[in-house]
Amino acid sequence: MLLSLVLHLYSLRSVLPAAVMLGSAPTYLLAWGAWRLLSACLPARVYQAVDDRLYCVYQSMVLFFFENYTGVQMYLVIFPEGTRYNPELTKVISASQTFAAQEGLPVLKHVLTPRVKATHIAFDSMKNYLDAVYDVTVAFEGTVDDKGQRKEAPSMVEFLCKDCPKIHIHVARIDKKDVPGERDFMRRWLHERFEIKDKLLIEFYDSPDPDRRNRFPGESVSSKLSLRKTLPSLLVLSGLTAGMLATEAGRKLYVKTWLYGTLLGCLWVSIKA
C-alpha cells in the first residue's frame, strides 16, 4: 500500500512545474497588457525595451525548471523532413524510405528523408543575411528498450519527470559558400548531410562498443545555466500570481484572463493560419 502511494506520488512529480508555468501565464499576460496601456504615449523604443524584459523574465522562469528541476535545456529545432522521427510510426518511416529508394537516394535508418523545397526557399530568401548554416543532430539517452529498439522521443511531461537523463546535440557549422544555391544540387547536398546524421545516430544508438554508444564524436561540452539567472524570475512571477489569488477580486481577474486569453489566443492562431 505504501509502495503504491509512493509510486503514485512519484508519477505526479510533473504537476508542480506544469502548474507554476501555466499558472503564471495570466500574470504575465496582465503585466504585459498593463504595460501596453501605460506605454501608449511613450516612444516605441521604451515600450520595446520593457516588453523584451517581461518576456525574458517569463522565459527565465520556464528555464528554471528545465535547468534546475530536470537538468535538461530546451532547444528549438526545425526539421527539413517536415516532422519528427517517431519509431512507432512505422508507416511514415516506410513511406520515407520508399520515397528515397524511388528517387535513387540512400535509404536512411534513424532519420527521415529530407525534402528540399522549404529548405531551398528559406536559404534562397535569407542567404544575403547568413554567414553559415548549422547542421544540428539531436539524440536522447534512455530511449532504447531492452531489445535494442528505439522508443519515441521524451514528451514534455517526461522531461519534467526526469525520465530523460541527457540530451546530446551535435553541431556542425557549414559556411554559406559551401551550401549549393541551385535546387537540384542542394537536394543532393541536403541528403548527404542527413546521411552523416544517420551514421552519427547509428553509432549513438546501435554501436556494439559501449564506449561509443550514447555519445557523439568530438569534444563534449556540458551547458547549464546558473541558478541566479532563473530563480529570480521564478520567485517574481510566482509571488505575483500567489498575491493575485489571495484576494477575491484578484481571483476573478485571474480566471477571466485565463479564460478570455485562451479564447483570444485560439482565435488569433486560427486567423494567422
Side-chain angles (χ1 to χ4, degrees), residues 16-260:
L16 174 62
V20 175
M21 287 190 291
L22 293 175
S24 299
T27 306
Y28 167 74
L29 183 60
L30 286 169
W32 174 82
W35 172 242
R36 185 78 175 181
L37 291 174
L38 291 172
S39 63
C41 298
L42 298 177
R45 65 178 185 278
V46 176
Y47 159 75
Q48 194 64 52
V50 177
D51 181 64
D52 291 344
R53 176 51 53 187
L54 285 172
Y55 184 74
C56 181
V57 167
Y58 185 76
Q59 291 301 313
S60 294
M61 184 208 65
V62 174
L63 283 173
F64 169 83
F65 289 104
F66 283 92
E67 289 288 339
N68 303 291
Y69 186 84
T70 70
V72 178
Q73 288 185 313
M74 294 187 301
Y75 294 86
L76 174 63
V77 182
I78 299 175
F79 296 85
E81 310 101 299
T83 185
R84 293 174 60 185
Y85 178 96
N86 184 346
E88 297 180 2
L89 300 179
T90 54
K91 290 184 178 180
V92 174
I93 297 173
S94 177
S96 175
Q97 293 175 341
T98 300
F99 173 79
Q102 291 174 345
E103 295 294 316
L105 300 169
V107 175
L108 307 173
K109 178 181 180 182
H110 283 292
V111 291
L112 301 176
T113 304
R115 307 300 178 99
V116 72
K117 184 177 180 180
T119 304
H120 178 262
I121 292 174
F123 181 79
D124 188 58
S125 301
M126 300 169 59
K127 60 186 178 183
N128 293 331
Y129 307 97
L130 299 176
D131 295 322
V133 171
Y134 288 85
D135 183 358
V136 181
T137 305
V138 182
F140 305 92
E141 278 193 26
T143 54
V144 176
D145 61 23
D146 297 335
K147 298 180 181 180
Q149 299 296 316
R150 277 186 65 184
K151 298 184 294 184
E152 186 179 2
S155 65
M156 181 71 73
V157 172
E158 288 170 328
F159 276 130
L160 292 171
C161 292
K162 304 182 181 181
D163 289 340
C164 180
K166 290 181 181 179
I167 298 177
H168 295 256
I169 302 175
H170 183 275
V171 182
R173 185 183 187 276
I174 305 165
D175 196 275
K176 182 177 69 173
K177 64 180 177 59
D178 295 326
V179 181
E182 202 276 324
R183 178 168 169 170
D184 288 339
F185 289 110
M186 179 179 283
R187 176 172 175 267
R188 181 63 224 178
W189 170 84
L190 185 62
H191 199 278
E192 288 175 352
R193 294 306 313 177
F194 271 74
E195 290 176 49
I196 295 173
K197 287 178 182 291
D198 204 42
K199 291 178 181 178
L200 288 171
L201 292 172
I202 288 173
E203 284 292 306
F204 186 93
Y205 290 114
D206 305 333
S207 177
D209 185 354
D211 294 332
R212 300 173 67 180
R213 204 180 307 134
N214 286 331
R215 62 171 299 170
F216 283 133
E219 182 182 357
S220 177
V221 178
S222 179
S223 177
K224 183 177 177 63
L225 289 175
S226 64
L227 190 63
R228 63 183 178 82
K229 289 186 177 181
T230 58
L231 182 59
S233 296
L234 170 72
L235 295 177
V236 169
L237 282 172
S238 299
L240 289 174
T241 303
M244 185 184 306
L245 296 176
T247 65
E248 183 178 355
R251 288 192 293 272
K252 290 181 179 179
L253 179 61
Y254 180 89
V255 171
K256 289 180 179 179
T257 303
W258 182 272
L259 176 61
Y260 296 124

